[in-house]
Amino acid sequence: MAAIVSYRYFSKKFMDGLKHYKYSSVDTSPLANYVMKPWWEFFVKMFLPLTISANTLTFVGFLFGVSHFILIHIYDPYFKCSSANVPDTIVPDWVWLYGAVAHFLSHTLDGSDGIQARRTRTSSALGELMDHGLDSLSLTILMMTIPSLFIVATPGDLVAPEYPYVALSVTTIGFYLTHWEKYVTGILFLPWTYDIAMLTMQLLFLVTFITRDGVANMCYDLVGIEFYKVVVGGMVAGVIFSIPCTVWNIVAAKRKPTQYVKEYATLRQALRPLVPFAFMCVSYFALYWYLGALHEHPRLFLYSYGIVFSNMCTRLIVTQMCRQTFVMTNWLLIWPVLVYISVQYKLLSLYAAMWIMFSVLSVAHIHFAICLIRQYCHHLRIPCFAMRKPDP
């Protein structure tokens, strides 16, 4: 068993770049600096003992989000709860209350882990990997609640699966561009939209618990637009707003280059991570457009998309930490192509092909995550969850 989870996805020479790594970030968000960070610091000092590791906070916070995601899947496996005409499939109100609490705790623990690491003097590259790696998967978990969250005001209508697909696509684009920006500049410019989005979703869960479809009906009566369209439109606008900021930061880094930018941020290096990401987006769009996979099996489609994205983004994070060239090949990217070929040539039904893809991708990504964490622990000579001696 130990041999199965001891596979090394990156060579020792590749990982040796970690010895030069130092976390660098810029956060100019007023919400983060004047509201969230004071709350996180208070939470850490008041409720967290020094015996709890930062990585434990990260993982427990992730599990809170997963637990709500599982409940939504149990009560609404086919995205039918958005119709007021299907009362038997409505998610119980207590699930939305739990969602507000669970995602509040998840957000709090996610913001507190870095403070706890600095407080206990146990900051490490492993902590950043777990924090941002799990965040890349949490995006899918959060976006998958959209079809169940909003009761459509127009009788008989459902939230079309295109809306969670758009929401997931734009949020993954924004997340990936943030880490691509760090890959190019060496600095993580934390987006303003993250805390806004998390607090907005928590508020929507709470309002849904209190009023159920009251907000949706009020929005439709006032402006004639479904509330979920307003929310998804806000997500799109947020990502569009962040793109010029990313371009500006990269241009500024090029004008006054640091040693990192001079050595690693050539044009060829900078463009490499964008190629497989574009391939992933195009291949899944082909499954949606030509095979109708999104309408036939929306959860399998979106789950698979999120898993491939998380795997690719984690590889980008590791590559930047180790100051290496991004490897564009990733065998997980071939699976949408295999599904397309197998269905087009009638080798498999769409249902069977989607289930096979989802199963393989899930097992592969879990294996990748476990092996990568073990490799980091071995290379840095630190435990994952147990507390260690503080750094001098």
Side-chain angles (χ1 to χ4, degrees), residues 53-319:
S53 70
N55 290 342
T56 300
L57 301 180
T58 304
F59 190 64
V60 171
F62 172 72
L63 292 180
F64 272 118
V66 171
S67 64
H68 183 240
F69 166 77
I70 292 174
L71 285 174
I72 293 293
H73 181 84
I74 290 173
Y75 283 104
D76 188 19
Y78 304 109
F79 290 160
K80 296 291 181 66
C81 289
S82 57
S83 173
N85 289 350
V86 193
D88 293 338
T89 60
I90 289 179
V91 176
D93 291 340
W94 67 267
V95 173
W96 299 117
L97 177 61
Y98 175 78
V101 174
H103 285 282
F104 172 76
L105 292 175
S106 177
H107 187 206
T108 297
L109 294 176
D110 184 44
S112 302
D113 52 10
I115 298 172
Q116 179 75 344
R118 291 186 290 274
R119 179 189 181 207
T120 56
R121 291 184 293 162
T122 55
S123 299
S124 69
L126 174 63
E128 184 183 348
L129 171 71
M130 289 192 62
D131 188 0
H132 298 151
L134 289 175
D135 283 346
S136 68
L137 196 56
S138 296
L139 285 179
T140 302
I141 290 173
L142 193 58
M143 292 303 103
M144 292 290 283
T145 63
I146 286 179
S148 305
L149 179 61
F150 304 118
I151 294 292
V152 177
T154 306
D157 283 353
L158 289 168
V159 174
E162 282 84 0
Y163 286 96
Y165 180 34
V166 170
L168 180 58
S169 296
V170 296
T171 51
T172 52
I173 289 172
F175 192 92
Y176 196 81
L177 287 179
T178 297
H179 287 279
W180 173 69
E181 180 182 18
K182 186 189 178 192
Y183 174 79
V184 176
T185 65
I187 301 172
L188 181 64
F189 294 90
L190 296 166
W192 288 24
T193 53
Y194 173 72
D195 290 314
I196 295 173
M198 291 299 297
L199 293 177
T200 299
M201 292 303 291
Q202 294 162 30
L203 180 62
L204 287 175
F205 291 147
L206 185 60
V207 170
T208 302
F209 163 72
I210 296 172
T211 68
R212 189 54 188 168
D213 57 351
V215 175
N217 288 327
M218 182 175 66
C219 180
Y220 190 77
D221 292 339
L222 289 175
V223 297
I225 301 175
E226 297 286 5
F227 188 51
Y228 67 88
K229 295 180 182 178
V230 175
V231 173
V232 174
M235 294 178 182
V236 174
V239 172
I240 292 175
F241 169 77
S242 69
I243 292 176
C245 299
T246 297
V247 173
W248 173 263
N249 291 331
I250 292 175
V251 171
K254 286 293 186 179
R255 287 177 176 173
K256 296 181 179 180
T258 61
Q259 189 62 30
Y260 173 90
V261 174
K262 290 178 180 178
E263 292 181 8
Y264 300 101
T266 64
L267 178 62
R268 185 178 179 182
Q269 286 267 49
L271 294 179
R272 289 178 69 91
L274 300 181
V275 175
F277 182 75
F279 180 85
M280 180 196 73
C281 294
V282 171
S283 62
Y284 273 91
F285 184 79
L287 292 185
Y288 155 69
W289 189 260
Y290 294 105
L291 300 184
L294 178 63
H295 281 270
E296 293 294 328
H297 310 290
R299 286 196 180 273
L300 291 177
F301 181 94
L302 297 173
Y303 291 163
S304 300
Y305 178 98
I307 291 170
V308 175
F309 164 76
S310 179
N311 188 276
M312 190 184 313
C313 194
T314 303
R315 290 174 184 270
L316 176 60
I317 292 168
V318 174
T319 302

Side-chain angles (χ1 to χ4, degrees), residues 36-46 111-112 115 118:
M36 301 314 305
K37 287 183 180 178
W39 157 243
W40 295 333
E41 290 172 357
F42 171 80
F43 176 81
V44 168
K45 292 177 181 178
M46 289 298 297
S112 302
I115 298 172
R118 291 186 290 274

Side-chain angles (χ1 to χ4, degrees), residues 335-355:
W335 279 94
V337 179
L338 293 178
V339 168
Y340 180 83
I341 294 173
S342 63
V343 174
Q344 282 290 79
Y345 289 91
K346 299 182 180 180
L347 302 175
L348 291 170
S349 67
L350 179 60
Y351 179 75
M354 292 294 292
W355 261 109

